Amino acid sequence: MSGLDLPLIWAVIIGTAVVLYVLLDGFDLGVGILFPFARTRAEQDVMTASIAPVWDGNETWLVLGGGGLFAAFPLAYALVMPAMYLPVILMLLALIFRGVAFEFRAKAQGRDHRVWSAAFSGGSMLAAASQGLVLGGFLKGIAVEGRAFAGGTWDWLSPFSLLVAASLVAGYALLGACWLIIKAEGELLAHARRWAQALAPTVAMAMGAVSLATLSLSPDIVARWGVTMRAVDWPMFLPVAPAPLIALLALLYVWRRSGEEGSLYGPYLAACVAFLAAFAGLAISIFPYAVPFSVTIWQAAAADNALALMLVGVAVMLPVILGYTGYVYWVFRGKVRVGDAYH
């Protein structure tokens, strides 16, 4: 495979896995975050039934992203993980606890059912917030000396990372509401439309706040966007302006259309477009760094022969994963109704 930029190809593969994880597991975490706002047990049962066939399969992309980082960019993995041990452990515990609660609440009655329902919602929110803390801590920067992590245990915790965590919780809740617009009927559908209409402007403001706060993290980011708190370098800003503009227009579409009867798939697809635009903005801010702003993807990559061997495996497995994922979504398409029990 001489002539191929294997580190760049692997960066695209891992980035794609992370994007698919956020778009797919994001909506089922969002359904959990919205759980306390359901008015009856029947509505909660429909909410869980809407994600039951796909929620654990959606986490496949998290495994691919994390495993890919470990295998393809071992130096980045060795630098990022020690910096993020606490939020990563919190995220994994929350995902495990959420999965257990998902199963137990289906059989529990009375007080136990309320406890496991609260556990399912709490685990969903904690998993989403932990992912936001990891992203915020990563963007804030990781202290590196030579080829080793040189920071402290709590470096990831800052007002910026808390802002990112809160924004991601709101973003996942928006994806969840838009998913329920596709899957729900009756009163729950009406609730989901109202939730989406309320969350769309909230997410727009959150994205704006995170974008402005990101500019304060590094002069490198300011130079890439050409924007400071006092001035705009238009020749620098105009080429990258489509990313925030597309995100804003997509969220405006969600706000306007999610309340319209007959609009089912549009709000979810528009919310996905907003997330994709946010990812494009993230790439503009940090590419080609694997660890901002100290280690590039080429410096962090494994040897070319190892990357080439793993690429053969991905070329075989990725179509299989995409195929069975698409098949599951096709088989379980359509509305979920009261009485469509999980087990």
Side-chain angles (χ1 to χ4, degrees):
M1 296 188 179
S2 61
L4 294 179
D5 191 338
L6 292 171
L8 180 59
I9 292 172
W10 269 99
V12 171
I13 291 171
I14 293 172
T16 302
V18 172
V19 168
L20 287 171
Y21 170 76
V22 168
L23 297 183
L24 297 179
D25 208 38
F27 76 70
D28 68 56
L29 287 171
V31 167
I33 293 167
L34 293 170
F35 220 54
F37 300 99
R39 295 184 179 179
T40 64
R41 175 171 178 169
E43 288 187 352
Q44 289 185 336
D45 289 345
V46 170
M47 292 169 75
T48 53
S50 75
I51 61 174
V54 297
W55 73 271
D56 45 359
N58 290 340
E59 293 177 358
T60 302
W61 300 105
L62 181 62
V63 176
L64 180 60
L69 180 66
F70 171 76
F73 301 103
L75 177 57
Y77 187 89
L79 294 172
V80 172
M81 284 304 294
M84 304 294 168
Y85 273 144
L86 284 177
V88 168
I89 290 172
L90 273 178
M91 178 192 71
L92 295 176
L93 290 175
L95 289 174
I96 294 170
F97 190 58
R98 175 177 180 269
V100 172
F102 194 100
E103 302 290 338
F104 278 32
R105 73 166 297 280
K107 295 295 183 183
Q109 299 294 331
R111 180 177 175 275
D112 288 347
H113 182 268
R114 291 192 293 274
V115 169
W116 286 115
S117 294
F120 172 65
S121 181
S124 301
M125 188 172 295
L126 181 58
S130 300
Q131 291 171 16
L133 291 173
V134 171
L135 176 60
F138 177 76
L139 289 174
K140 183 171 172 286
I142 295 172
V144 177
E145 286 185 9
R147 294 170 61 87
F149 172 60
T153 304
W154 298 95
D155 284 3
W156 52 271
L157 185 59
S158 67
F160 176 75
S161 63
L162 292 173
L163 174 63
V164 176
S167 301
L168 196 60
V169 169
Y172 281 177
L174 176 63
L175 287 173
C178 292
W179 176 254
L180 290 173
I181 290 174
I182 297 173
K183 304 297 288 186
E185 293 180 318
E187 284 295 315
L188 181 56
L189 173 59
H191 297 331
R193 292 191 185 281
R194 287 195 291 271
W195 295 336
Q197 283 189 304
L199 284 164
T202 303
V203 172
M205 289 188 288
M207 281 187 174
V210 170
S211 299
L212 291 175
T214 301
L215 294 174
S216 68
L217 297 178
S218 167
D220 286 346
I221 297 177
V222 172
R224 290 162 183 245
W225 286 91
V227 176
T228 67
M229 295 297 179
R230 298 180 178 178
V232 177
D233 183 345
W234 291 104
M236 288 291 297
F237 177 65
L238 287 178
V240 296
L245 182 61
I246 289 172
L248 182 61
L249 291 175
L251 291 170
L252 180 63
Y253 179 93
V254 175
W255 178 69
R256 285 182 58 87
R257 297 299 302 278
S258 57
E260 295 180 3
E261 189 174 349
S263 178
L264 296 179
Y265 293 93
Y268 178 74
L269 294 176
C272 290
V273 169
F275 268 85
L276 290 172
F279 272 106
L282 178 63
I284 292 168
S285 296
I286 66 171
F287 183 81
Y289 288 97
V291 179
F293 290 91
S294 54
V295 180
T296 68
I297 58 172
W298 295 281
Q299 292 170 327
D304 272 2
N305 58 351
L307 294 178
L309 180 63
M310 292 187 296
L311 189 59
V312 173
V314 168
V316 173
M317 290 306 301
L318 193 57
V320 174
I321 297 172
L322 288 170
Y324 77 64
T325 300
Y327 180 71
V328 169
Y329 276 86
W330 174 256
V331 168
F332 292 97
R333 67 188 184 280
K335 294 289 186 181
V336 176
R337 296 175 175 83
V338 175
D340 289 349
Y342 173 51
H343 290 290

